[in-house]
């Protein structure tokens, strides 16, 4: 039966009289073995974060990067952890302290063995289950089947260790909190390794996973070897034997409360990362860097809580106050960002100082209080020596399931209905309720209660005053007014159009400039090139809508009978439709085509599932340093495109790097890279590839321009395309780079261009940040 948290009975502080301990204090040998356990659990956290990052990438390569696919992977991973938490706790209480350490070591060893072969199963094996993953429920079951064993084993580790190292219940908070903190700091190190390109850019994801697997295997073997230490056995000969009357009261209310905080804090994480992903200049490393900061705050908070636990007084109220602090600082950080952006004259989001300061304003302080909360509540629920493992497992399970629910509700409901600002306000207010409960529970201290309540109201009111809601929130962060900024936000992302001049628009997706209107020549050329080259483009697929310019370009050809356009961000489709309703003629024409099929989903996933064949496949421009851009520039992706082309079909793409052209040439037998002196900048090279010879005939291209495209183009646009044709040249990348260069390619598990481009951008920001400092030091 559910029992609400009770504030009426004082909690015995660590070392208090409620608990007696049989057995002596651990000796130096036992402490050395415990140090080995802590080091092993630290390394386990590093490996686990590496696994999670790379396994998620491997699964999402096939499953897609849309909201539904990403959420099912996260939910499957966390469910496996949660079930492991429960099973590990039950096993620990059944087998005792020493055998719990043996079980922990075996779990680490088995995680490492699975990790070594994991990408062969997860990445290669997903295709085997593809027919079962066509629905949301089916995709979740496939993800769970592939991840169940390792995540289950990971989930058992902390409950097993808790039972193995805790000799007195009074130690449960400090010891388990210390283990949790070290494991979390290890995970932060893993996130740090994933947030830089030095290692993964040299060896690739598969080798990094193998390194993590070796760390697990060696940790397990080391712990097993140290278990024979005689002083270790002596130090664990005793066990908690008696508990004072009433001390075994069920902690279910606190366990449920921790599940609620798991919901709220994970929902905050989703909202924070949404905000920071928009305001920062993002690369493929941005998420890992933010996650590292999140885990650092959580780990340090747990360690500090473990050290200060005896000074916190009433632990029940201490836990509630921690939730209040989390909620307040969760709101104040975004408020500071908005204030910073509103006071800046322009370009704040791309300044080096802002990119450093914004995450520090949002993440570390609230996550610190989250970490303290775990240590406190771990001690609260540890009041029965015979159920220490089960209660630790139940606590972790409740929190993990709360996290799963928080991810689902925030992604599918809150962000779409309330937006990011409204979601942050709601979550912070919900956490504030815990603090108000603590203040009201201060019996006989009405002044404390009143002051605390007033402080909450004043602080939250000030933050809400700074933090605008609705369109004003994103308009401020894009440094424009609601008269020119229009936002469409849902779980898939944030799309913004900025009418900086009358009738001229810029499209931002998650804070990054994508394209604009009037359409650029680059995107228009990418759209019309297939109509100039292909003899009969009837069935066409365009991956990426953007502002609509590429799809509009190919749609001008009357020979196109079916045009499928895939866009992963639902807000982009909403904004393009909005601009069409405002009277943008090209978009009105495009969206009015009866043969247009506009779909919001992951383009690669669509290609994997569809049985349709296409005469032309175009992938719209994707910046190579964006996260997961390598999924559309890999050899495996190009092989998938080839399988969906009809006989004589052709593939078209922007060529931002020479390696991309070489990767296409490793798959397609016939490839041209088309360049023209009239096309300058990053968009000067376009690519066409196919399984049959592709004639490059400027005269035929000019004829097709006049016959099929010119009626829909302005005279100026038609003239620029005619000039492009007249000055264009085509080269096979194999002729330029030689056959040896085909060994250095982009692959799903080694996206070299994505990593190298992101590393270059990161170095540029670091240089701009350190440059002024170096100049001042020289002065």
């Amino acid at each position: 039966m559910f029992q609400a948290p009770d504030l009426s009975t004082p909690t015995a502080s660590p070392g208090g009289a409620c608990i007696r301990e049989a057995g002596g204090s651990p000796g130096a040998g036992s402490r050395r073995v415990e140090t080995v356990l802590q080091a092993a659990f630290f390394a386990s956290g590093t490996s686990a974060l590496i696994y999670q990052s790379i396994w998620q990438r491997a699964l999402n390569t096939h499953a897609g990067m849309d909201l539904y696919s990403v959420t099912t992977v996260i939910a499957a991973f966390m469910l496996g952890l949660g079930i492991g938490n429960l099973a590990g706790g039950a096993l620990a209480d059944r087998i005792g302290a020493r055998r719990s350490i043996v079980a922990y070591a075996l779990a680490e060893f088995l995680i490492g063995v699975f990790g070594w072969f994991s990408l062969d199963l997860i990445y290669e094996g997903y295709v085997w289950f593809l027919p079962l993953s066509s629905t949301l429920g089916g995709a979740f079951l496939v993800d769970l089947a592939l991840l169940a064993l390792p995540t289950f084993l990971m989930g058992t580790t902390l409950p097993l260790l808790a039972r193995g190292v805790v000799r007195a219940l009074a130690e449960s908070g400090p010891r388990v909190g210390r283990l949790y903190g070290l494991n979390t700091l290890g995970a932060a190190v893993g996130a740090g390794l994933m947030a830089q390109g030095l290692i993964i850019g040299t060896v690739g994801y598969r080798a990094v996973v193998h390194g993590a697997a070796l760390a697990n295997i060696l940790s397990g073997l080391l712990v097993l070897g140290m278990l024979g230490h005689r002083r270790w056995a002596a130090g664990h000969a005793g066990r908690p034997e008696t508990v004072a009357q009433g001390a075994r009261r069920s902690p279910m209310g606190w366990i449920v409360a921790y599940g609620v905080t798991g919901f709220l804090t994970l929902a905050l994480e989703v909202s924070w990362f949404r905000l920071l992903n928009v305001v920062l200049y993002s690369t493929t490393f941005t998420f890992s860097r933010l996650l590292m900061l999140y885990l650092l705050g959580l780990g340090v908070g747990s360690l500090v809580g473990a050290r200060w636990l005896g000074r916190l007084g009433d632990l029940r109220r201490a836990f509630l106050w921690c939730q209040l602090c989390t909620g307040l600082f969760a709101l104040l950080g975004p408020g500071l960002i908005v204030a910073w952006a509103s006071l800046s004259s322009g370009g704040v989001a791309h300044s080096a100082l802002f990119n450093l300061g914004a995450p520090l304003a949002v993440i570390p302080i609230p996550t610190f209080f989250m970490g303290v909360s775990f240590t406190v509540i771990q001690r609260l629920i540890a009041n029965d020596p015979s159920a220490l493992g089960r209660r630790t497992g139940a606590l972790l399970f409740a929190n993990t399931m709360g996290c799963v629910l928080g991810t689902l509700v925030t992604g599918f409901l809150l962000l779409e209905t309330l937006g990011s600002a409204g979601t942050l306000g709601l979550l912070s207010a919900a956490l504030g309720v815990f603090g108000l409960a603590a203040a009201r529970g201060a019996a006989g201290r009405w002044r404390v209660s009143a002051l605390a309540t007033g402080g909450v109201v004043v602080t939250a009111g000030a933050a809400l005053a700074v933090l605008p809601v609705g369109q004003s929130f994103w308009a401020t962060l894009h440094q424009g007014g609601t008269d020119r900024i229009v936002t469409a936000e849902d779980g898939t992302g944030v799309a913004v159009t900025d009418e900086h001049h009358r009738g001229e628009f810029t499209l931002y997706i998650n804070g990054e400039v994508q394209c604009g209107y009037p359409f650029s020549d680059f995107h228009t050329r990418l759209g019309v090139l297939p109509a100039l080259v292909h003899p009969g483009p009837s069935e066409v697929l365009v991956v990426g809508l953007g502002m609509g310019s590429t799809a509009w370009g190919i749609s001008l050809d009357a020979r196109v009978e079916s045009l499928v356009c895939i866009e992963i961000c639902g807000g982009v489709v909403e904004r393009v439709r909005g601009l069409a309703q405002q009277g943008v003629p090209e978009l009105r024409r495009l969206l009015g085509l009866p043969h247009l099929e506009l779909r919001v989903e992951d383009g690669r996933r669509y290609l994997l599932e569809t049985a349709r064949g296409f005469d032309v496949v175009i992938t719209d421009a994707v910046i190579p340093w964006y996260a997961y851009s390598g999924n559309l520039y890999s050899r495996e992706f190009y092989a998938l495109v080839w399988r969906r082309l009809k006989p004589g079909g052709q593939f078209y793409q922007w060529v931002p790097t020479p390696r991309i052209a070489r990767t296409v040439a490793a798959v397609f037998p016939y490839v041209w890279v088309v360049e023209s002196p009239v096309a300058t900048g990053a968009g000067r090279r376009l690519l066409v590839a196919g399984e049959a010879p592709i004639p490059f005939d400027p005269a035929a291209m000019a004829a097709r321009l006049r016959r099929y495209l010119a009626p829909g183009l302005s005279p100026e646009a038609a003239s620029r395309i005619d000039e492009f044709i007249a000055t264009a040249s085509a080269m096979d990348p194999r002729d330029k780079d030689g056959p040896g260069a085909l060994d250095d390619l982009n692959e799903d598990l080694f996206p070299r261009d994505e990593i190298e481009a992101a590393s270059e951008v990161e170095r540029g920001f670091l240089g701009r940040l350190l440059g002024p400092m170096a100049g001042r030091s020289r002065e």
Side-chain angles (χ1 to χ4, degrees):
M1 180 181 295
F2 170 75
Q3 179 176 327
D6 179 26
L7 295 178
S8 61
T9 305
T11 300
S13 60
C18 287
I19 300 172
R20 291 195 295 112
E21 172 68 20
S25 60
S30 179
R31 286 195 295 271
R32 284 197 295 270
V33 176
E34 188 164 338
T35 300
V36 170
L37 286 175
Q38 292 174 349
F41 207 41
F42 180 93
S44 176
T46 302
S47 296
L49 197 285
I50 290 173
Y51 292 143
Q52 181 180 354
S53 300
I54 297 178
W55 290 349
Q56 181 163 340
R57 183 176 186 114
L59 286 170
N60 289 137
T61 297
H62 299 307
M65 282 304 303
D66 58 356
L67 174 66
Y68 299 98
S69 301
V70 172
T71 303
T72 56
V73 173
I74 294 174
F77 195 97
M78 288 187 169
L79 181 60
L81 290 177
I83 295 174
N85 295 151
L86 291 176
L91 177 64
D93 286 336
R94 185 172 182 178
I95 63 179
R98 182 177 175 81
R99 290 180 178 177
S100 291
I101 300 299
V102 174
Y104 163 74
L106 291 174
E108 290 286 2
F109 182 83
L110 292 175
I111 292 168
V113 172
F114 182 93
W116 186 271
F117 300 101
S118 61
L119 289 180
D120 296 319
L121 174 63
I122 292 173
Y123 175 74
E124 307 291 347
Y126 191 92
V127 181
W128 305 340
F129 300 99
L130 189 62
L132 303 176
S133 64
S134 57
T135 64
L136 187 62
F140 171 75
L141 292 176
V142 170
D143 294 336
L144 183 62
L146 294 172
L147 296 174
L149 177 60
T151 54
F152 174 85
L153 291 171
M154 291 176 189
T156 65
T157 54
L158 184 55
L160 288 170
L161 272 184
R163 182 67 182 89
V165 303
V166 173
R167 292 176 293 274
L169 290 182
E171 299 176 340
S172 63
R175 286 183 178 271
V176 179
R178 203 153 43 236
L179 285 171
Y180 181 83
L182 289 170
N183 184 258
T184 305
L185 290 180
V189 171
L193 292 174
M194 300 303 297
Q196 50 79 39
L198 179 61
I199 297 177
I200 58 177
T202 302
V203 300
Y205 289 124
R206 191 179 293 274
V208 173
V209 166
H210 285 167
L214 284 176
N216 284 121
I217 292 171
L218 293 176
S219 296
L221 293 176
L222 181 62
V223 171
L224 285 174
M226 293 293 286
L227 282 174
H229 201 293
R230 286 178 295 179
R231 293 184 180 180
W232 164 262
H236 282 71
R239 59 182 180 137
E241 59 178 20
T242 60
V243 180
Q245 184 74 22
R248 294 174 184 259
R249 185 166 185 166
S250 171
M252 186 55 66
W254 291 107
I255 290 174
V256 172
Y258 199 52
V260 174
T261 63
F263 173 94
L264 297 173
T265 55
L266 203 285
L268 278 175
E269 179 187 341
V270 173
S271 303
W272 287 336
F273 283 23
R274 160 66 60 83
L275 166 65
L276 292 170
N277 190 49
V278 171
V279 301
L280 301 181
Y281 195 88
S282 298
T283 72
T284 190
F285 301 134
T286 299
F287 177 82
S288 295
R289 191 166 62 249
L290 297 177
L291 184 59
M292 177 183 68
L293 196 59
Y294 186 98
L295 294 169
L296 280 173
L298 198 63
V300 171
S302 299
L303 294 177
V304 171
R307 188 173 182 84
W308 288 357
L309 195 60
R311 308 176 190 177
L312 295 180
D314 189 331
L315 297 184
R316 293 176 173 87
R317 292 190 177 88
F319 173 78
L320 297 175
W321 282 119
C322 281
Q323 309 319 304
L324 172 63
C325 293
T326 299
L328 289 179
F329 284 106
L331 197 61
L332 287 173
L336 288 175
I337 290 179
V338 172
W340 190 344
S342 63
L343 295 175
S344 301
S345 58
V348 62
H350 289 178
S351 71
L353 184 61
F354 184 83
N355 275 262
L356 176 66
L360 293 175
V362 173
I363 296 176
I365 298 179
T367 55
F368 172 85
F369 286 106
M370 294 178 194
V372 175
S373 297
F374 173 79
T375 302
V376 171
I377 202 165
Q378 167 63 31
R379 177 64 189 90
L380 279 172
I381 59 99
N383 57 11
D384 185 350
S386 65
L388 177 63
R390 292 195 300 276
R391 290 187 173 179
T392 300
L395 182 70
L396 296 170
F397 174 80
N399 187 259
T400 302
M401 293 303 98
C403 290
V404 173
L405 193 59
T407 302
L408 296 173
V409 172
T410 305
F412 291 112
L413 178 63
L414 295 181
L415 289 176
E416 187 163 355
T417 57
L418 301 178
S420 293
T423 299
L424 284 168
L426 176 65
L427 297 173
S428 298
L431 285 166
V433 171
F434 286 87
L436 294 179
R440 290 175 63 84
R445 300 179 181 178
W446 65 270
R447 293 181 180 177
V448 174
S449 177
L451 288 173
T453 304
V456 170
V457 172
V458 171
T459 306
L464 288 172
V466 175
L467 196 67
V469 296
Q471 296 284 337
S472 299
F473 179 72
W474 292 118
T476 302
L477 293 173
H478 285 79
Q479 303 199 315
T482 54
D483 57 327
R484 49 179 265 208
I485 298 279
V486 181
T487 304
E489 179 180 10
D490 61 11
T492 63
V494 179
V496 168
T497 52
D498 180 3
E499 189 175 10
H500 43 85
H501 295 98
R502 184 173 180 82
E504 298 182 8
F505 301 89
T506 299
L507 173 67
Y508 298 82
I509 302 177
N510 292 329
E512 301 294 339
V513 176
Q514 300 297 314
C515 45
Y517 179 84
F519 296 150
S520 69
D521 286 346
F522 161 56
H523 285 92
T524 302
R525 281 195 299 269
L526 182 58
V528 302
L529 186 60
L532 301 175
V533 176
H534 196 285
S538 176
E539 305 282 331
V540 177
L541 170 66
V542 178
V543 178
L545 174 64
M547 189 62 95
S549 47
T550 300
W552 171 78
I554 186 62
S555 76
L556 296 174
D557 192 338
R559 296 172 296 171
V560 176
E561 298 177 356
S562 173
L563 176 57
V564 179
C565 187
I566 309 293
E567 173 55 53
I568 196 170
C569 181
V572 171
V573 176
E574 181 179 337
R575 287 309 308 129
V576 167
R577 285 176 172 155
L579 293 178
Q581 293 172 357
Q582 285 181 237
V584 175
E586 293 87 343
L587 296 180
R588 291 183 64 181
R589 179 194 177 280
L590 173 66
L591 298 182
L593 293 174
H595 55 271
L596 172 68
E597 181 182 353
L598 191 55
R599 304 172 65 100
V600 179
E601 60 180 293
D602 182 87
R604 178 160 175 166
R605 173 76 186 198
Y606 175 82
L607 281 167
L608 191 62
E609 290 184 329
T610 188
R612 294 182 61 176
F614 297 95
D615 300 302
V616 168
V617 174
I618 310 170
T619 57
D620 204 359
V622 178
I623 305 298
W625 59 77
Y626 288 177
Y628 293 93
S629 61
N631 288 357
L632 298 181
Y633 290 129
S634 68
R635 176 164 50 183
E636 294 85 353
F637 172 70
Y638 297 134
L640 176 59
V641 170
W642 190 0
R643 293 197 297 271
R644 295 296 173 260
L645 289 176
K646 291 182 175 180
Q650 295 172 357
F651 170 66
Y652 294 81
Q653 189 177 49
W654 172 45
V655 187
T657 72
R659 183 184 283 114
I660 288 172
R662 296 197 301 269
T663 305
V664 175
V667 175
F668 287 90
Y670 300 96
V671 180
W672 291 115
V673 175
V674 181
E675 296 186 61
S676 169
V678 302
T680 60
R684 66 183 182 275
R685 288 188 296 266
L686 302 178
L687 177 145
V688 53
E691 62 176 350
I694 305 169
F696 185 76
D697 185 348
M701 293 166 65
R704 289 176 181 139
L705 170 63
R706 292 189 294 270
R707 181 174 181 181
Y708 300 116
L709 301 176
L713 292 167
S714 68
E716 295 80 7
S719 176
R720 291 195 296 272
I721 294 174
D722 197 27
E723 183 181 6
F724 169 78
I725 295 170
T727 58
S729 61
M731 176 180 289
D732 189 321
R734 288 164 289 212
D735 296 337
K736 179 179 180 182
D737 299 313
L742 297 183
D743 298 331
D744 181 31
L745 305 175
N746 290 312
E747 300 173 349
D748 281 344
L749 298 181
F750 203 160
R752 290 176 169 88
D753 277 328
E754 180 183 335
I755 296 168
E756 290 179 10
S759 298
E760 184 176 349
V761 171
E762 299 277 338
R763 286 193 296 269
F765 268 109
L766 184 61
R768 287 198 291 277
L769 179 64
L770 297 180
M773 298 180 184
R776 285 193 293 271
S777 66
R778 285 194 297 268
E779 293 174 0

